[in-house]
Amino acid sequence: MKKIMFLAFTLVFGSYGAYAEMSRIDDSDLSEVTGQSGVYLTGEVSFNEEGGPSDNSYFGACNVAEKECGARLTFQTQQDGGWFVLGGIRGSISFEGLTMQIRNISAASEFGGDGQFFGRDVMQIGLPESIRMNDFQFTLATGSSARPDDAGYTQVDFMTVEMSGDMTLQGNLLVFPTP
Amino acid sequence: MNYIYLILLLIFLSCPLSAKMKALEDDALSNVSGQTGFTMDVETNIKVDEFSYFDDSNGIALQGVSLSSAADTNALAEFHVVSDVLNDGTLSFEFTSGNVARLEVEDIRFISTPGEVQTVTDPSIGGFFFDFDIDGTFAIRNVGNGAMGPNSTAGGTFDIDFSVIDGRLGYRTNGNELFFDGMSLDVSSIGTRIGVTPDNQWNISLPNFLAELKVDAIRYSNNPANHGVTNDGTTGLPLASYGSLWANVDLSVDMFLKAGGADGVEGLTVNASSTINRLDLAWGDDTDWAASGYWVGALATTGTFDLVNMTVDILADPDAGVMPSKDYGLGLALAFERLTTNLHIQDLVLGETKSNLDAYVLDGNTPVKSVGSFDINLSFEDGTYDAIALTNVVYLQAGGNIAAGNQGLRLDAQLNLDSSSNQSNLVYTDDGLSIMASGLEAFVDGDVTIDITAAGDLNGTTFYDGLRVGFEDVAFGYRIEGNRIAESTGDSNDLKTQDLQAARYIPGLGISPSLEGVLDGHVTLGPGGNIGQEGITVNSDITVTNGSMAKFLQTNDDSTVSGVWLSGLNYDVHLRDMMLDTTSDGLQIYETESWSKLDVTDFRIGNKVSGASFGRLVIESYSVGNEKTVSAGGAGSVCIGGVGADAALCASDNGRCEDRGSQGLTIKTKKFFKDSIEAENKRNRFTWETDRVGEGTATPTNGTGMQLVFDNFTTNDGDGLTDTFGIQSEYNIDVARAPVIKKTDGADSNGVVGSKGWEKIMRADGSYEYKNPTTLTVADIANRPVGLAVRTNAQFKELDFGSVDLVHPTGGESTLLYGLKLQNFNITTDITATPLD
Amino acid sequence: MSLFVQRILKLLIATTILPAGAELTSLSDNDLSEVDGAGIGLVMDDFVFSHGHDVANDKTFRITGLTSTVGEAVTVNVNQLYIARSGSLYGSDLKGVNLGRLNNPYEIDLIDGDDIGLAGEAVLQLSAPTKVDAALGYDCLSKTATLGSGECSSRPSTLAWENGERPDMGLELEINVGANVPKNLNFNVESAVFDGSYVRLWGDGASSKMAAEFRLNFYTPQLEISTCSQANQGCTSSIKMQDFELELALGHTFQPLYIGADNVTGGMTIEIAKITHQYLSDIDLTTGLSNGTSTGDEAFTFFSDYYSNPEYRSNIIIGDLDIGGTSLGSSKIEGILIQHLDVKFRDLSL
C-alpha cells in the first residue's frame, strides 16, 4: 500500500527527473548549486502492455476485439450519481535521464532574482530531453455506474488520445511546500 | 563453541569428581607396564548449589549446577576415559560417554554475598542445559617449558578433537524452553595453546579450529513438565519445531585475558582477534538433510573479527540513581573499546536442498539459488550520532521482561557503529556488480529483553508462544551517506573511491536510507509455519515513536545531509501469526493478519529537522492473508521501452534488451486490503493534513488542520464481492548497467568533458569518459555505468476507495468523491539509478 | 471537441448577460491572496513540451473516438502541441520557459473554508500564481512589461530574464472527418498568462455533491486561430485576437458549480444552481426591496452584492480583432453573470 501511495505521490509530483544545466549558467553559479549528489534514473513505466488481470464481460485480453485490456480509473462526484472515467490506459513511457536531487535555491542569479528571496530547499525532478511513448493511449468518458460490466451500463465517450514516439520534454519540476 | 570446550576442560581438570576409585594393589599394577596408560570409568551425579565469580564485591552466581544423566537427573552420567603417553611424549586422554549426560545450570543470578539465600522469585537470567554423548581425545603435547607460538606463550599446547551426538542445548525461563534437539557437534582444534604471555596476559590461541554443528530440530515447549525432551510429556507428540540448523566453521582465534576491568580493582579485560577461513550457516525447513526440504543459508563466508579491550565486570545498572524506574540491578558489564568485523558472504542462498548445499561446499561450483554476495564491514567504536556521545557497553541483567516472570535475560545496551572514514558499510554484489551502502552510522541505546514465553495474558501483558525479544525504550538510529556502485574488483574497499549517489527507499524490500526513533514492543518467534510441520511463526507489536525516516537522502558536497524525511514519525505495527517457511521458491511468508498506522507529523524536504514541511501524513493499513515470497534471482532478461521476450523481438519493438544475470533478489507479494473494523482501529486510509495550528513551526498540533482523506480502500476481484486476487506485486532488485546520456555540452561535476547526447562509458580503472553513441562498440555497451535496477510490477483487478473526504477541524467531514475505483491495473516500472554527475 | 465548444457557447449565451455599468477592470483576486492555505508548490523551470503527429518520424499524437453528426469517424491529428518560451515562432524554435515563480507558484492547497465564506468546510484548491498588488506586479498583456505596471506576477521574457513565466502555447490540429479532405485548425497563443486562476473543490453535504468554484484568467497579447497548414503556420487565413483577456467565473461558494454524470444515460452534467437565499421570501417581489425585517435586509444586501460585485462576473475582452489581415477593432463581452446553468451531455446515438 505504501508503495502505491508513494508511486501516486511521485506521479502527482511529476515523475523522476533530471537537472538540466543550461550552458548560460557560468561556473560561479555552478558552485552555488549544492547537492550534486543526486540520482540519475533511466527506465520505463508501462501500463497494461500485455493487458490487465481482469477477465469478465468488459475486460479481457488485448487480442480480443470486443474486450478492453487497458487500466481504468473512475470516480463519482455525487451520491448515487454517474461516474467519470479515465479508461483504456495502455502503453509505456520510457526515458533516460530523469534526475532527482534536493536543491537549495538561495542565489540572486537564479530564477531572475527570485532565488535570493526564496532561500529554501526544493525537490528538483529533472525531466529528460526526450521521452519515448510507446503506443500510449487513454480515453476520457463518463458512465452511468461504477463497473462497466454492470447490467444496463452506458458510457458516453469524449475522446481517446493516442501518443507514440519521441516527445520533447525538458526542464525541471520543482516541488516544495507552501507557504 | 569455545565456551563449551572450556566448560568441559574445567570439569575434567579442576572440579572434583565423585568418582568411584579403588586403590590398586601393587601387584595389580605390576602387570601394567608400557601399555595403554590407565582407564577410568566415571559415573557421576554432581550438584553444586552455587558457583560464583566476584568482581569488586559484586558477583554472578551459577546456581543449581548439576551433571547427571539427561534422561533422569537423579541418575548418573557415565564416562569412560583412557589415558596414554604416546611415543613422542604426548599425554593423551580418550573419553567416551556411556550415556547421554546433562550439564545444567538452573539459574544465573547476580548477588552481593556468596551463598546468600535466594527466593525462587528473585530475578534470574534463567536456566541452561546441555545434553551430550561425547566421544573424543584431548592430547597434551610434549613441547617443553619454553615460549610457544607467535605470542611467546608459556604454557601448554593441546590437540582437541571430539564429537557430540544426541545433544541438546537449551534455555529455560518461567517453565518455557527453547532448545536445540538432535544436535551433533564435531570439533577439532589442533595446536591449541593456553598459557601466559610475557606481559602477564592469559592467552588462549586456537590456530586451527574446525567445527560442524548439526541441529535436527530447534524445539519449543510451554509445558513446564517438559525439561529437555523431544516429545511432549502430556501428549506424547514431538514438540513443535522451528526447523533445522547447520553450521560449518574453519577459523583461527587468538584471545588474551588480563586482570582488571573497567571499574574498580578487579575484573577482566579481553582482547581477541579471529580469522574466519570459512563459515557456512543455514536454516532448513522440514528437511531430511538430503534432497527433501529446503534451506536458506549464508555460504562460504570469510573474514576477520577483532575485539579490542573488552572489559568484563559485574556492575550496577547505569540508570541507578539517574532513572530508578529503569534500574534492573547488577549485571555482567561487557564494555569494549573497539569491535571490528569484516565479513564476506560468498552466497546467500534461498530455497536449496541440503544435497545441493553439500555439493556446493565440496566443489564451490554447483549452481545454487543465490541472491549474490554480501560484504559486511562494521566498526563499533566510541563516537557520536547527531552530536550525542555514545560508547559500546552491554549489561547482561537478570529478569527479562518483568510481566513474563522472574526469569529472563535483559540486555541494557549502548552500541555505536562508527564510520568517520567509511569503516562501516554494507556491500551487495550481484553477478559481479556491486552496490555499497556507504558510510553506515548506527546506534542503539536501551533495554532489550529475551524470554521464552507462552501464549496468554500475564500481569496485564499479552504473550505469545516462542522466543520473545522485547524492546523497552530503545533509542536507535541508522544512516548511510549514500550509495556507491561499480563493477566488483573483489575488494569491497575499492568501491569507496566511486562517486556517491543519493540513496532512496527501496520498495518491496522496505528499507530506507535512514531511520531513527524509540522502539518499544516485542517480536515473538514461535515454532511452526504455514507449510509442513516446521517453520517460524511471528507475532509482533512494535511502536516507533518520535522517529524520522528518510525516503530519499543525499549527502551534499559540504557534508550536510538533505533528503525527503518522514519526521516526527510515530509508527505502530501489529503482526498476528506471520508464518515463515522455506520452499524451493525461497522464503515464503504468510501473514494471517496485520495492521499498522504510520503517523508522520511533518513530511519534510531538505534538512531532517528544519526543512520545510508539506504537512502531516497518516497511512493506515489493514490486511488479512497477505503472502510474500523472497527468492534468489532478479529480473533476468528485460526489455526496456518495448515488448519482446528475446533480444530480437525487443529490438523490433524499439526496445533495449538487458540481461540482469541469474543473481539478484525477487520479492513477490499478494496483499488483500480489508474493510475497516473501527472498534479495533483497523482500517485502510491515507490522510494528508496541512494548515494546522503551528504549521511550519517545530510543534504543529495534529488534528487542527484541513485534511484530505482517501478512506477505506479495499481490494476485490472486480465484482465488489470476492477478493481472491488482491494486489499482486513483484519486485526485482538487481545491480545492473544502464545507459547514461550527457545532457549538456562541456564538463560535468567531475570535470569530465563530453557533448550533449553522448554516452557515459566506464573504464577498467573505475574512471569514465563520454563517447559518441554512433561510435559505441559492443565492448563499450558492456561497460555502461552500473546502477541499482529496481523493476516492480503491480496488478490488481479493483482497488476500491470508499470515499475521498475533506475534513475541517470544527466543521467535520464532507465527502468530495463518493467513489473512486481503479480497475484492471497492470503497472510495471523499471528504473535504474546511477550517480548524477 | 467542436461539439463541446458549440454546446458551451450556446448555453452561456442562454444565461442572463447583465449590462455592466462602467468598463469593468479585471477581476480582483484580493480575496485569493488573503487566503492562506498550505500545501504543495510547483514550479516548472526551463520547461519545454512538444509532441506532434508525424508518421514519417514514428510519432503519433491523435484524438479518436469522436463521430460526426452523420456517424462518420472523426480523427483529429495533433500536428503539434507545444509549450515553450515566448518567441517560439509557432512552436518551431523551442526554448525553456518557467511556469510559476518560487514565491508565487502553482499550488495544490487545503484551505480553511472559514476564510472564504464556507464555514466549517475544508477546501481543496488548485491554483495558478496569484495576482499581486500593482506595485509589485507586471502588466498582464504587455510583452515588455516592467515592475509595477500591473497585477500579474508572471514576468514576460526579457533580456534580463530570458525564460520569463509567460509561455507560448499552441495546439495545431488536422481534422479528418470520414473520407473527407483533412482540414487544419490551429490555436497559437503568445506570452500566455493564467495568473489568478483557480479551482476550489469541496463537499456539499446538503446536496450530496462535489461542489466547485472555478476561475479561469487567461491573458495573451495575441491569440491566433487559423486554418494554416502545418508547414506554413504564419499564413493569412487566420483570426488574430490581440490583447485577449478572458476572465471566466463559474460557481461561487454560495452558488457552487456541480460537475457530475448521469446515472442512467452516463452523460456528463454541469450545473450551477439557481441563485437563491434562505430569506428570499422576505424580499418584496414588486419593489425588489426588503420587506423591512432584518432577515429581509440581509437577503437584500446579499442580492445587491451579488448583482453589483464585479468578482462574480465573467469578461471576454479583445483589444483588436484581425481577420485575414483586416482589423475589425476591439470588442468586449463584459459582466456575464451566470444565474443558472444546467448542461447535460449525451451520446448522440442514444
Side-chain angles (χ1 to χ4, degrees):
Chain A
M1 186 48 225
K2 285 175 215 150
K3 181 210 72 72
I4 291 211
M5 276 306 148
F6 185 60
L7 188 67
F9 240 89
T10 48
L11 286 170
V12 163
F13 294 161
S15 17
Y16 306 98
Y19 171 51
E21 262 189 48
M22 297 305 287
S23 49
R24 60 185 167 77
I25 295 179
D26 61 19
D27 281 346
S28 62
D29 292 339
L30 249 183
S31 62
E32 285 156 356
V33 175
T34 57
Q36 276 302 105
S37 134
V39 70
Y40 178 106
L41 304 170
T42 293
E44 68 166 0
V45 178
S46 72
F47 292 87
N48 292 46
E49 263 190 321
E50 291 169 46
S54 294
D55 193 357
N56 54 28
S57 60
Y58 180 78
F59 291 113
C62 292
N63 52 12
V64 178
E66 319 80 56
K67 296 280 178 83
E68 172 61 66
C69 73
R72 190 168 191 273
L73 183 149
T74 181
F75 59 90
Q76 185 187 42
T77 56
Q78 298 171 354
Q79 188 153 61
D80 301 324
W83 293 69
F84 286 85
V85 177
L86 173 63
I89 305 169
R90 275 197 74 197
S92 77
I93 305 166
S94 63
F95 53 87
E96 273 128 31
L98 297 197
T99 67
M100 234 160 97
Q101 62 179 160
I102 311 282
R103 177 180 170 193
N104 185 283
I105 301 176
S106 311
S109 56
E110 299 180 287
F111 296 88
D114 283 348
Q116 190 175 27
F117 304 105
F118 187 68
R120 299 207 307 269
D121 286 313
V122 302
M123 167 57 93
Q124 178 169 277
I125 298 165
L127 307 171
E129 293 279 298
S130 104
I131 280 189
R132 267 175 313 286
M133 315 285 273
N134 196 10
D135 294 330
F136 185 74
Q137 56 181 272
F138 59 90
T139 301
L140 297 172
T142 47
S144 58
S145 64
R147 299 187 181 98
D149 55 325
D150 289 338
Y153 176 78
T154 49
Q155 180 165 305
V156 176
D157 287 346
F158 289 136
M159 58 179 174
T160 298
V161 178
E162 296 169 33
M163 292 161 84
S164 243
D166 283 319
M167 188 166 84
T168 305
L169 183 66
Q170 79 177 52
N172 301 308
L173 171 64
L174 307 181
V175 183
F176 50 93
T178 57
Chain B
M1 311 302 144
N2 298 343
Y3 307 101
I4 297 167
Y5 155 71
L6 267 173
I7 290 169
L8 283 171
L9 186 62
L10 288 168
I11 290 167
F12 283 109
L13 289 184
S14 53
C15 290
L17 308 171
S18 63
K20 287 193 176 145
M21 304 220 335
K22 264 166 61 177
L24 286 168
E25 304 276 349
D26 278 355
D27 54 342
L29 262 173
S30 65
N31 287 334
V32 180
S33 60
Q35 310 213 4
T36 47
F38 65 84
T39 303
M40 215 161 51
D41 277 314
V42 179
E43 291 176 355
T44 171
N45 188 315
I46 307 172
K47 281 190 172 33
V48 177
D49 272 349
E50 184 176 288
F51 177 70
S52 55
Y53 163 71
F54 273 82
D55 162 41
D56 293 307
S57 315
N58 294 320
I60 181 170
L62 304 180
Q63 298 172 339
V65 181
S66 65
L67 176 63
S68 64
S69 156
D72 176 1
T73 50
N74 293 319
L76 304 165
E78 296 166 19
F79 303 98
H80 180 79
V81 180
V82 175
S83 166
D84 196 10
V85 178
L86 305 179
N87 290 339
D88 60 358
T90 304
L91 176 62
S92 117
F93 294 90
E94 280 175 31
F95 43 90
T96 317
S97 280
N99 63 1
V100 181
R102 171 170 294 177
L103 175 67
E104 181 165 14
V105 176
E106 271 178 18
D107 279 294
I108 301 177
R109 292 194 165 98
F110 293 95
I111 55 177
S112 311
T113 324
E116 70 185 37
V117 175
Q118 304 290 318
T119 49
V120 178
T121 54
D122 278 349
S124 156
I125 286 180
F128 292 88
F129 61 89
F130 175 50
D131 291 356
F132 57 98
D133 179 340
I134 196 166
D135 188 350
T137 58
F138 174 77
I140 304 172
R141 286 200 206 163
N142 181 14
V143 292
N145 292 330
M148 311 169 297
N151 303 315
S152 303
T153 310
T157 302
F158 311 94
D159 291 331
I160 300 157
D161 188 358
F162 65 86
S163 287
V164 168
I165 56 168
D166 289 335
R168 295 192 182 94
L169 180 63
Y171 175 50
R172 291 176 63 81
T173 69
N174 307 308
N176 307 308
E177 61 183 21
L178 181 74
F179 62 100
F180 290 172
D181 192 23
M183 181 170 81
S184 74
L185 175 64
D186 293 309
V187 172
S188 155
S189 180
I190 307 298
T192 309
R193 280 185 294 273
I194 301 178
V196 181
T197 62
D199 58 351
N200 283 327
Q201 296 199 69
W202 188 249
N203 174 221
I204 300 170
S205 176
L206 308 171
N208 306 294
F209 184 83
L210 302 169
E212 186 176 3
L213 172 73
K214 292 182 187 177
V215 177
D216 259 342
I218 304 170
R219 295 196 195 274
Y220 162 85
S221 162
N222 60 8
N223 181 346
N226 290 335
H227 199 126
V229 288
T230 302
N231 298 312
D232 184 80
T234 314
T235 64
L237 297 169
L239 288 170
S241 162
Y242 291 82
S244 309
L245 193 64
W246 172 64
N248 183 28
V249 65
D250 172 353
L251 56 79
S252 68
V253 66
D254 221 349
M255 197 164 18
F256 297 87
L257 285 75
K258 66 181 176 209
D263 192 76
V265 175
E266 297 172 339
L268 199 60
T269 297
V270 179
N271 279 276
S273 66
S274 171
T275 301
I276 300 168
N277 300 314
R278 189 189 178 101
L279 172 64
D280 301 292
L281 190 62
W283 168 61
D285 183 10
D286 288 299
T287 180
D288 66 353
W289 292 78
S292 170
Y294 295 93
W295 295 69
V296 301
L299 303 180
T301 302
T302 55
T304 59
F305 175 96
D306 194 31
L307 176 65
V308 175
N309 288 336
M310 178 174 85
T311 56
V312 181
D313 293 272
I314 317 273
L315 297 175
D317 191 311
D319 294 308
V322 172
M323 206 175 309
S325 59
K326 290 194 185 177
D327 178 2
Y328 292 95
L330 294 174
L332 184 71
L334 306 171
F336 53 89
E337 194 180 297
R338 185 169 67 245
L339 174 60
T340 314
T341 178
N342 302 93
L343 293 174
H344 172 81
I345 301 172
Q346 181 58 30
D347 279 296
L348 179 69
V349 169
L350 298 176
E352 272 299 349
T353 59
K354 188 65 169 54
S355 320
N356 279 356
L357 292 183
D358 291 338
Y360 170 90
V361 171
L362 272 179
D363 63 18
N365 284 333
T366 305
V368 286
K369 291 175 195 153
S370 170
V371 173
S373 309
F374 291 85
D375 286 86
I376 301 171
N377 300 309
L378 301 175
S379 176
F380 290 88
E381 253 182 290
D382 285 2
T384 58
Y385 186 96
D386 277 353
I388 308 167
L390 293 155
T391 182
N392 288 286
V393 59
V394 179
Y395 288 77
L396 277 74
Q397 297 167 329
N401 178 281
I402 300 294
N406 69 303
Q407 289 181 317
L409 178 63
R410 175 177 292 267
L411 301 166
D412 185 337
Q414 187 178 110
L415 295 169
N416 182 60
L417 208 57
D418 190 58
S419 208
S420 41
S421 52
N422 203 358
Q423 312 98 287
S424 300
N425 53 64
L426 303 170
V427 179
Y428 166 55
T429 304
D430 168 22
D431 290 302
L433 303 174
S434 298
I435 178 171
M436 172 188 275
S438 178
L440 175 64
E441 293 175 272
F443 81 95
V444 145
D445 186 7
D447 286 10
V448 175
T449 59
I450 296 175
D451 294 85
I452 314 295
T453 54
D457 284 352
L458 264 183
N459 298 317
T461 307
T462 306
F463 292 102
Y464 301 87
D465 280 341
L467 170 70
R468 180 185 192 279
V469 180
F471 306 98
E472 293 179 13
D473 263 354
V474 177
F476 75 97
Y478 75 83
R479 167 171 63 227
I480 59 173
E481 61 173 354
N483 290 327
R484 296 183 198 269
I485 312 187
E487 191 174 328
S488 170
T489 57
D491 180 358
S492 67
N493 285 318
D494 287 338
L495 278 172
K496 292 182 185 176
T497 54
Q498 290 295 319
D499 275 347
L500 192 60
Q501 169 184 324
R504 56 199 181 110
Y505 173 84
I506 301 176
L509 217 46
I511 296 180
S512 319
S514 171
L515 177 63
E516 294 154 19
V518 177
L519 188 63
D520 275 280
H522 75 98
V523 175
T524 303
L525 304 172
N530 192 32
I531 302 168
Q533 301 286 329
E534 298 180 327
I536 302 178
T537 299
V538 179
N539 279 283
S540 174
D541 298 278
I542 294 276
T543 58
V544 176
T545 46
N546 202 24
S548 105
M549 182 195 286
K551 288 291 191 184
F552 180 86
L553 187 152
Q554 75 184 36
T555 301
N556 302 315
D557 293 339
D558 60 359
S559 300
T560 55
V561 175
S562 302
V564 176
W565 303 92
L566 304 185
S567 120
L569 181 155
N570 293 297
Y571 183 48
D572 201 10
V573 61
H574 306 271
L575 293 174
R576 292 290 169 262
D577 287 341
M578 178 173 98
M579 298 187 267
L580 277 79
D581 290 278
T582 306
T583 63
S584 63
D585 288 330
L587 199 60
Q588 281 205 293
I589 301 168
Y590 178 81
E591 287 176 26
T592 306
E593 191 186 18
S594 59
W595 67 102
S596 68
K597 180 175 178 179
L598 176 67
D599 190 341
V600 179
T601 306
D602 282 295
F603 183 58
R604 294 188 193 281
I605 290 247
N607 180 277
K608 176 173 68 175
V609 171
S610 61
S613 167
F614 284 109
R616 176 190 186 201
L617 292 180
V618 184
I619 303 174
E620 295 169 89
S621 171
Y622 169 50
S623 45
V624 168
N626 288 354
E627 294 168 24
K628 188 189 271 205
T629 306
V630 181
S631 321
S637 260
V638 295
C639 179
I640 309 289
V643 177
D646 61 35
L649 285 171
C650 183
S652 68
D653 196 24
N654 288 321
R656 169 171 58 85
C657 189
E658 266 181 36
D659 184 2
R660 298 196 179 147
S662 60
Q663 294 181 337
L665 187 67
T666 293
I667 298 166
K668 289 192 184 134
T669 65
K670 205 188 223 185
K671 287 192 172 171
F672 302 93
F673 292 113
K674 293 297 168 193
D675 251 324
S676 61
I677 303 178
E678 291 299 322
E680 294 176 34
N681 252 331
K682 295 173 181 172
R683 63 182 73 83
N684 289 295
R685 184 160 72 195
F686 175 79
T687 304
W688 172 43
E689 180 178 358
T690 187
D691 203 18
R692 295 167 287 180
V693 169
E695 191 70 61
T697 66
T699 52
T701 310
N702 285 341
T704 59
M706 310 297 136
Q707 295 182 355
L708 177 65
V709 181
F710 291 81
D711 199 10
N712 201 22
F713 51 86
T714 56
T715 46
N716 69 69
D717 292 335
D719 51 10
L721 300 166
T722 55
D723 189 12
T724 58
F725 193 85
I727 297 186
Q728 299 188 6
S729 312
E730 180 171 334
Y731 306 87
N732 305 115
I733 299 166
D734 287 278
V735 184
R737 299 186 189 269
V740 173
I741 316 283
K742 195 159 195 308
K743 301 172 71 77
T744 54
D745 290 324
D748 66 14
S749 67
N750 291 323
V752 181
V753 176
S755 302
K756 175 169 156 170
W758 283 19
E759 262 204 53
K760 177 178 173 183
I761 303 294
M762 307 303 290
R763 296 202 197 97
D765 61 358
S767 64
Y768 63 89
E769 57 179 339
Y770 291 101
K771 291 182 100 168
N772 191 324
T774 54
T775 65
L776 289 180
T777 61
V778 173
D780 288 332
I781 291 180
N783 282 323
R784 279 182 167 144
V786 184
L788 180 65
V790 179
R791 183 181 181 86
T792 71
N793 170 270
Q795 296 186 43
F796 51 87
K797 292 189 176 174
E798 187 170 298
L799 181 66
D800 188 354
F801 290 78
S803 62
V804 178
D805 304 314
L806 284 166
V807 183
H808 188 273
T810 52
E813 188 180 279
S814 297
T815 308
L816 184 68
L817 292 181
Y818 290 80
L820 172 63
K821 296 189 202 302
L822 277 68
Q823 297 159 328
N824 200 37
F825 268 77
N826 181 355
I827 311 175
T828 302
T829 67
D830 193 316
I831 314 261
T832 303
T834 53
L836 176 60
D837 296 308
Chain C
M1 263 173 63
S2 60
L3 295 168
F4 281 48
V5 176
Q6 279 177 34
R7 284 179 163 153
I8 289 220
L9 278 175
K10 279 183 194 155
L11 285 148
L12 270 179
I13 291 164
T15 61
T16 314
I17 299 176
L18 295 178
E23 222 176 278
L24 288 174
T25 53
S26 49
L27 286 169
S28 79
D29 294 279
N30 285 333
D31 68 315
L32 182 56
S33 55
E34 279 154 15
V35 171
D36 192 16
I40 305 164
L42 302 163
V43 166
M44 293 301 308
D45 173 31
D46 218 39
F47 180 68
V48 174
F49 173 78
S50 170
H51 193 52
H53 192 75
D54 184 355
V55 178
N57 285 324
D58 262 336
K59 292 192 197 184
T60 310
F61 189 179
R62 57 174 181 234
I63 297 165
T64 56
L66 309 163
T67 45
S68 69
T69 45
V70 297
E72 289 163 303
V74 177
T75 302
V76 178
N77 290 342
V78 179
N79 285 332
Q80 190 180 20
L81 171 63
Y82 67 87
I83 302 173
R85 188 189 301 174
S86 183
S88 68
L89 300 171
Y90 301 106
S92 58
D93 180 14
L94 301 168
K95 293 209 185 81
V97 67
N98 278 28
L99 301 175
R101 291 177 70 177
L102 289 172
N103 57 354
N104 196 353
Y106 281 82
E107 289 186 31
I108 302 172
D109 291 310
L110 292 177
I111 59 178
D112 191 342
D114 293 352
D115 297 336
I116 54 167
L118 278 172
E121 292 286 344
V123 177
L124 176 66
Q125 177 176 280
L126 310 167
S127 61
T130 59
K131 285 196 170 173
V132 294
D133 284 341
L136 300 170
Y138 298 78
D139 182 79
C140 298
L141 289 169
S142 167
K143 281 203 220 178
T144 54
T146 53
L147 181 61
S149 56
E151 289 183 331
C152 285
S153 83
S154 295
R155 296 167 292 187
S157 168
T158 56
L159 280 173
W161 173 225
E162 285 180 358
N163 282 17
E165 285 106 21
R166 300 185 181 186
D168 268 11
M169 295 169 30
L171 179 63
E172 294 158 9
L173 308 171
E174 181 191 272
I175 303 172
N176 298 280
V177 181
N180 302 336
V181 174
K183 294 186 174 58
N184 288 336
L185 180 63
N186 310 308
F187 301 86
N188 285 294
V189 168
E190 286 179 23
S191 199
V193 175
F194 295 94
D195 286 18
S197 305
Y198 62 84
V199 172
R200 287 177 181 158
L201 303 171
W202 68 96
D204 186 348
S207 59
S208 293
K209 294 180 183 178
M210 178 177 89
E213 180 181 333
F214 182 70
R215 292 280 178 282
L216 175 62
N217 290 351
F218 176 53
Y219 308 98
T220 171
Q222 179 167 295
L223 165 61
E224 183 175 331
I225 304 173
S226 72
T227 54
C228 301
S229 67
Q230 178 60 14
N232 183 21
Q233 287 286 319
C235 76
T236 53
S237 56
S238 74
I239 298 171
K240 287 194 170 98
M241 300 183 212
Q242 314 275 11
D243 290 343
F244 181 87
E245 295 177 57
L246 168 67
E247 289 160 351
L248 184 64
L250 284 177
H252 317 289
T253 52
F254 50 84
Q255 192 191 19
L257 172 68
Y258 298 115
I259 302 181
D262 189 278
N263 60 4
V264 173
T265 64
M268 187 159 101
T269 61
I270 301 175
E271 186 195 339
I272 294 179
K274 236 179 8 187
I275 183 64
T276 185
H277 189 270
Q278 63 182 88
Y279 301 127
L280 179 60
S281 51
D282 290 327
I283 298 282
D284 184 331
L285 290 176
T286 45
T287 60
L289 298 169
S290 162
N291 64 1
T293 60
S294 63
T295 48
D297 290 342
E298 195 184 306
F300 180 78
T301 313
F302 171 79
F303 280 103
S304 181
D305 173 68
Y306 176 69
Y307 286 110
S308 57
N309 193 332
E311 276 179 31
Y312 306 138
R313 292 169 184 263
S314 305
N315 310 298
I316 304 173
I317 300 169
I318 303 168
D320 180 70
L321 184 62
D322 176 312
I323 299 182
T326 309
S327 169
L328 300 179
S330 73
S331 64
K332 299 179 187 181
I333 306 174
E334 288 186 292
I336 306 169
L337 181 66
I338 298 172
Q339 295 183 290
H340 178 53
L341 181 68
D342 192 347
V343 179
K344 286 184 169 60
F345 287 79
R346 63 178 179 85
D347 201 321
L348 284 176
S349 57
L350 289 177

